[in-house]
Every structure is written in C-alpha cells, then in structure tokens.
Amino acid sequence: MERLRTFFRRLCGMSLKRMWNHVVQIHQESGRHQLIILLDMIYCSARYGVGYLDYHVFGFAVNRGERRRTFMTMNHNIALVRALNEREYYPIFNDKIRFNERFDQYLGRAWIDLRKSGPDGFARFIQGQQAVFVKRLDLYGGRGIERIETAGVDPVPLYNRLMEEHKYLAEEAIIQHRELARLCPSCVNTLRITTILSGGEPHFIYAFFRTGSGKSATDNISSGGMYTAVTAVGRLSAEAFSDKTGLYYRCHPETGVAFAGFQIPFYRECIDLCLKAALVEPHMRYVGWDVAITETGPILIEGNNLPGYNMCQNYRHLDPPGIGILPKIREIVDVPF
C-alpha cells in the first residue's frame, strides 16, 4: 500500500520533460531502447518506490534482478530515520543556531545570533573580517544563505535588513584548503559523511564529495552542484554527477581539474571528526554531516537528521559495483524494513 501511495505521489508531482530527458540520457549511457527504459522506469516506481532520477542514479537500466533489492530507497531512508532518531530532538539539527550551540567545539569558526547581539554586537563581529555568511535558520539546500563582503559596509542598515529577512545567524567565512580551492574556488567544497550510532558505538556508513558548478557560492546539489565518490584513502575515484543536468563530468567545468585521482586532504581526520560528533547527541543515531576542510583540518558545517540516500548509491561510484548501501546498514543495525 505504501508503495502505491508513493507511486501516485510521484506521478502527480513529476515533470514529464525531466523524466524524458533522463530516459534519453540513460539510453545514451546504456544503449537500451528508450521505450524499454520508460516502461521499466514506471515498473520500478510502482515496485520499489524509485522515481526517474533514482532510476537513473541507481543504474537500474543495468542493475537488475536481486541487485535492485540492495538499494536504499526514499521509503527505506524515512523508515530508518524514524527508527533511529527521536523526533523531540529534531530541532537541534533543524535550527542552525541550536546546532551551532550544541556542536560549537567542532565548528572551527566564530558565529553570532543576531537576535541576541543587537546592531552593536554585529558591528563588532564583522569588524576586521573580509566576508561573513548569513543564514536563515530553517532553510536547506543552500537557500537563505548569503555571502556578504564587509569592506565599507554600514553595519546598522545591514543588520536591520538581515533581521527583516530572518537571517539571524552570522558566521565567519570559511577559508578552505588550497587544494579544494584549486578544484573549485567559487564555493566551499564539502564532504557528506554519514554515521549510525549502534550499541553506543559510532559507525561510518559512507562519504561522498560535493563541489559547486562554479556558478554559485554553495556546493549544494539543489543549487547545481555535483558529487562523486571517495575511496577509503580519500581519493576521488570517478566522474562527478549533477542532478540538475543529469550529466557526468570528468573534469570540473570551471577549473578543468580532473575528478578521478584528486586527493582529499585530511580525509581520515574528517571521518574521525564525524565519529566524535555522532556521540554528542545519542538520541539522534542516524546523521549526515557536512564537513569543510581548512589548512589546519576539518570542521563541521552542519548535521542533517534526514541524510540523503541516492547520492551514495550512484551506480558509477559503487564499490563493489552494482550493490547498494542496504547490506552494509543491515550489518550495523536492525532495520525496520
């Protein structure tokens, strides 16, 4: 019944143009006939609760049979969140200031709550800084985030505007590691690292690397960013994929730096940081952490109480090939599905 409800929700909300674009791209990648892809896509939506983007990302045109059962779907992901994360603790992760208060020791940057600082405190905060990021507390996917160059800025009218726009969080701008700036200098490039707390012990589940398109100040996938896989030693291993275009990129479109073989600095330290952070709030056992990397090491950007499920299962990034994330999760925790 839940699969049918998901199917009809997707049917009502889908874009036929985008779906057909994915059919064409899958045809070009797999060589399968477009009509067969379309029919199988509809079947997988009803059978597995997999939409056309997930069908493309999971490589279901080539990953068939029992392999499809190894992939975590949106319904699986939601069920896992409900089983492992206690709802009354969601606000710690959904409110950016509450998150900063709880995880301040891992942030590695200064920040203030404009509701408490007043215009004078805000003026002192931006003094001597080249740029700050201001954020709304309740938006995600890069929305409600603004980078402000502070040179010559009159702090009082700026403060008043930010308060009117509900951008209550101001943070010191992160200066990322020079290697990551070489790959994409227009935004802070990040790792998404997901952990599960089981039996009081934090477990690393997966990591992937996100980078901006060069046209935005964030690397969020919904803002046109791209992502790719990371090996156990922190090396990028494949082409980057963009949900927005549905295309794979061998090199970064802005800088021309190749993705495959690019080494992420401080990768082991990034994982260790998230394993420590996973112990801070034991009522939230399944978290996706966004991590930036500076010249001196990793810092937390934020935690997500609804981690993604599809980017870590891109069929061109999987190791071993053709196998989704469910078997690994089942080794660590009893799943409710």
Side-chain angles (χ1 to χ4, degrees):
M1 183 61 68
E2 182 60 32
R3 287 174 181 164
L4 286 176
R5 283 196 291 264
T6 300
F7 173 74
F8 285 112
R9 281 199 304 269
R10 290 180 184 274
L11 188 64
C12 294
M14 72 180 180
S15 163
L16 293 177
K17 181 179 179 180
R18 287 198 66 195
M19 182 176 72
W20 184 250
N21 286 341
H22 281 282
V23 169
V24 171
Q25 289 160 354
I26 294 167
H27 162 71
Q28 293 171 348
E29 294 170 18
S30 68
R32 301 195 74 204
H33 194 281
Q34 293 173 352
L35 179 58
I36 293 175
I37 293 170
L38 179 60
L39 293 175
D40 191 41
M41 191 178 281
I42 295 170
Y43 166 77
C44 286
S45 182
R47 178 67 181 84
Y48 301 106
V50 170
Y52 56 80
L53 175 61
D54 287 351
Y55 182 95
H56 187 184
V57 169
F58 296 167
F60 272 14
V62 293
N63 289 324
R64 307 177 65 80
E66 287 302 311
R67 284 188 171 188
R68 291 179 172 179
R69 297 180 182 275
T70 69
F71 284 79
M72 173 183 276
T73 67
M74 178 180 67
N75 289 342
H76 291 144
N77 197 42
I78 292 172
L80 193 60
V81 167
R82 289 173 177 169
L84 299 184
N85 295 344
E86 298 181 34
R87 181 172 293 276
E88 56 266 39
Y89 293 88
Y90 284 13
I92 295 174
F93 289 81
N94 292 339
D95 182 311
K96 290 179 171 57
I97 285 180
R98 290 193 62 178
F99 179 85
N100 281 15
E101 290 171 342
R102 194 78 168 92
F103 293 91
D104 186 66
Q105 62 182 312
Y106 299 119
L107 297 184
R109 62 193 179 279
W111 62 274
I112 59 167
D113 181 347
L114 270 63
R115 297 169 301 183
K116 297 179 180 179
S117 72
D120 291 341
F122 178 65
R124 289 192 297 271
F125 180 77
I126 67 174
Q127 188 175 15
Q129 297 198 45
Q130 292 183 344
V132 296
F133 277 89
V134 294
K135 304 175 181 179
R136 284 186 55 131
L137 308 186
D138 55 346
L139 297 180
Y140 297 90
R143 294 178 296 128
I145 297 177
E146 179 184 357
R147 177 185 169 93
I148 298 175
E149 303 292 333
T150 59
V153 168
D154 187 339
V156 175
L158 174 58
Y159 173 86
N160 292 335
R161 175 177 71 81
L162 296 177
M163 291 296 289
E164 289 175 1
E165 296 175 357
H166 306 289
K167 294 177 178 177
Y168 301 138
L169 174 61
E171 295 182 335
E172 176 186 1
I174 296 168
I175 300 176
Q176 67 181 336
H177 195 284
R178 69 189 71 178
E179 269 299 285
L180 299 182
R182 181 174 70 87
L183 177 65
C184 179
S186 61
C187 71
V188 175
N189 307 280
T190 62
L191 287 166
R192 164 61 63 87
I193 296 175
T194 293
T195 60
I196 285 180
L197 196 61
S198 179
E201 180 182 354
H203 297 265
F204 166 75
I205 306 300
Y206 64 79
F208 59 83
F209 178 74
R210 302 184 303 187
T211 183
S213 64
K215 300 178 181 179
S216 171
T218 73
D219 65 351
N220 295 84
I221 304 306
S222 57
S223 300
M226 298 168 282
Y227 65 91
T228 189
V230 188
T231 68
V233 295
R235 191 170 292 117
L236 303 187
S237 61
E239 301 164 308
F241 181 73
S242 167
D243 282 2
K244 191 169 185 178
T245 66
L247 300 175
Y248 290 87
Y249 296 83
R250 185 177 64 83
C251 299
H252 195 281
E254 179 183 18
T255 62
V257 175
F259 288 110
F262 185 90
Q263 180 66 47
I264 302 296
F266 294 110
Y267 181 66
R268 183 65 246 181
E269 289 84 350
C270 291
I271 295 176
D272 290 342
L273 173 68
C274 295
L275 293 176
K276 292 176 184 176
L279 293 168
V280 172
E281 186 43 74
H283 298 279
M284 300 291 287
R285 298 168 54 201
Y286 177 40
V287 178
W289 309 95
D290 292 341
V291 180
I293 304 169
T294 71
E295 291 291 341
T296 57
I299 58 175
L300 279 187
I301 301 295
E302 63 183 18
N304 301 270
N305 70 322
L306 181 62
Y309 65 93
N310 56 1
M311 288 180 275
C312 63
Q313 299 181 108
N314 189 297
Y315 80 107
R316 290 200 184 186
H317 302 161
L318 291 174
D319 184 23
I323 305 299
I325 199 71
L326 278 184
K328 182 172 184 177
I329 291 176
R330 287 184 169 127
E331 289 177 0
I332 295 170
V333 65
D334 291 332
V335 296
F337 39 79

